[in-house]
Amino acid sequence: MLDRLTRVDFTNLDKILFSQLKITKAQVIKYYIEIAPRMLPLLDKRPLVMTRFPEGIDKEGFYEKDAPLGTPPWVSTFKTYSESAKRELNMVVCQNLDTLVWLANLAAFEIHMTLSRVDAFDKPDLVFFDVDPEPPATYDNALETAMLLKERLDDLSLRSFIKTSGLKGLHVVVPIIEDYTFQQTRDFVHQTARLLAKDSETLVSEYSESKKLGTTFIDYRQNSHGRTLICPYSLRATQKATVSKPLEWDDVKKRLKPEMFTLFNTARIETNPWEDLFENRQRLEVK
């Protein structure tokens, strides 16, 4: 049945990728087909970094920034020079269902997207606040920090969007016009975190403090050229097959847990909180 839906030549569909729940590659592919109408518009024109788990999540996966050998000609790619790798990269750009299904067939089910698009790769159009609690800080602490962050952004007349990371944290983003540098967006996130940290004993804004027990770190460092954000609706390599799930701000309340959103139920949730994300590009007050 899957073969009728796509140009992808499937392999090892019965391969178990999530051992605890016996989730097969076929089930992963089915999930991405079902979620594609909500996911693909958010990936449009964005270079991707893949995390692949060909032997399942019990074995160590690997990052892949380049389109792998044997990439079909119908997969869009984007060439860019990487300062960190000191070489040119040929990155995958997911423009259609076939490409998304092809990624799933590669067991590249953790999909990370850049904060800028191919037609303005040096100009971010997303500002990213990574809210990361350090145990014994809990998910509730992350939720409280996210709400403080929303209040601060509201005060600046900036509309923000939130999602689970699918792991222990939360992601808050602000869509912006493509008129700023990565240094400006990085500084904006860092300065906002510093202001919030001044009034809190457990919220930290500096990487040097991020591993202090019981703190919640607002990480600004991903706001750099070529760095990425786990894609909305991407699966995560957890035994419960959690998903990085976009939320409504009204959903952000105590008792919310990342394992509430998984491969099994996310596609059935009818709401689409990030549907108008890129219809709300905003200006920042930065130097």
Side-chain angles (χ1 to χ4, degrees):
M1 179 179 176
L2 289 175
D3 292 334
R4 300 188 212 129
L5 298 175
T6 176
R7 291 177 282 184
V8 177
D9 293 323
F10 292 112
T11 57
N12 302 320
L13 289 176
D14 293 331
K15 177 77 175 179
I16 291 176
L17 298 180
F18 295 79
S19 59
Q20 191 175 92
L21 298 177
K22 309 298 184 188
I23 296 171
T24 64
K25 186 192 286 188
Q27 288 173 283
V28 168
I29 291 169
K30 182 174 181 289
Y31 166 76
Y32 277 115
I33 290 171
E34 291 174 344
I35 208 65
R38 277 174 271 181
M39 190 174 184
L40 285 173
L42 301 171
L43 302 185
D44 183 47
K45 298 181 181 178
R46 291 184 190 279
L48 304 179
V49 174
M50 303 163 275
T51 312
R52 296 176 60 180
F53 297 88
E55 300 302 320
I57 67 169
D58 291 339
K59 302 288 186 180
E60 188 173 357
F62 61 93
Y63 282 101
E64 193 160 48
K65 294 184 177 182
D66 279 300
L69 189 67
T71 296
W74 40 261
V75 171
S76 297
T77 59
F78 172 68
K79 287 184 169 60
T80 182
Y81 185 79
S82 169
E83 289 291 342
S84 58
K86 302 300 180 186
R87 65 178 180 87
E88 189 174 70
L89 300 176
N90 188 34
M91 304 179 75
V92 170
V93 183
C94 186
Q95 292 297 97
N96 50 53
L97 177 61
D98 281 337
T99 302
L100 186 60
V101 171
W102 171 74
L103 290 170
N105 188 60
L106 291 177
F109 53 77
E110 277 201 354
I111 307 170
H112 308 256
M113 68 185 193
T114 55
L115 303 177
S116 58
R117 302 185 299 173
V118 296
D119 47 4
F121 198 52
D122 293 330
K123 298 290 186 180
D125 66 345
L126 287 172
V127 176
F128 174 28
F129 299 82
D130 187 359
V131 179
D132 187 18
E134 182 68 19
T138 65
Y139 208 67
D140 283 346
N141 296 124
L143 294 168
E144 291 167 4
T145 298
M147 288 306 302
L148 289 173
L149 182 54
K150 180 185 186 299
E151 291 170 9
R152 172 61 184 165
L153 295 170
D154 285 349
D155 289 343
L156 297 173
S157 299
L158 291 172
R159 184 181 174 190
S160 55
F161 295 75
I162 187 169
K163 68 181 179 72
T164 67
S165 70
L167 301 178
K168 65 174 182 170
L170 292 157
H171 294 162
V172 176
V173 302
V174 175
I176 59 171
I177 61 171
E178 295 165 320
D179 198 31
Y180 306 97
T181 65
F182 277 98
Q183 187 63 56
Q184 287 175 308
T185 57
R186 180 184 173 101
D187 289 347
F188 175 78
V189 173
H190 199 183
Q191 289 164 10
T192 302
R194 282 172 169 165
L195 284 172
L196 293 177
K198 281 182 180 179
D199 299 321
S200 172
E201 294 182 359
T202 58
L203 199 163
V204 298
S205 61
E206 305 303 325
Y207 179 66
S208 60
E209 301 176 293
S210 64
K211 297 304 179 184
K212 286 185 178 178
L213 298 182
T215 60
T216 301
F217 177 41
I218 298 180
D219 193 350
Y220 59 90
R221 297 169 304 145
Q222 289 298 103
N223 294 276
S224 301
H225 192 273
R227 301 290 285 271
T228 61
L229 163 72
I230 189 73
C231 295
Y233 298 108
S234 174
L235 287 168
R236 302 309 305 262
T238 66
Q239 286 293 356
K240 294 185 179 180
T242 51
V243 169
S244 182
K245 171 68 173 64
L247 304 171
E248 301 283 0
W249 277 107
D250 288 345
D251 297 330
V252 181
K253 52 195 173 187
K254 289 186 177 180
R255 295 185 297 278
L256 183 75
K257 302 297 179 188
E259 57 269 22
M260 292 170 63
F261 308 106
T262 70
L263 171 147
F264 296 106
N265 65 2
T266 298
R268 296 201 303 269
I269 299 172
E270 294 183 359
T271 57
N272 187 6
W274 284 28
E275 183 176 17
D276 62 344
L277 176 71
F278 293 115
E279 297 171 15
N280 288 275
R281 298 181 190 275
Q282 299 156 98
R283 291 187 175 275
L284 297 178
E285 294 297 326
V286 295
K287 294 180 180 179

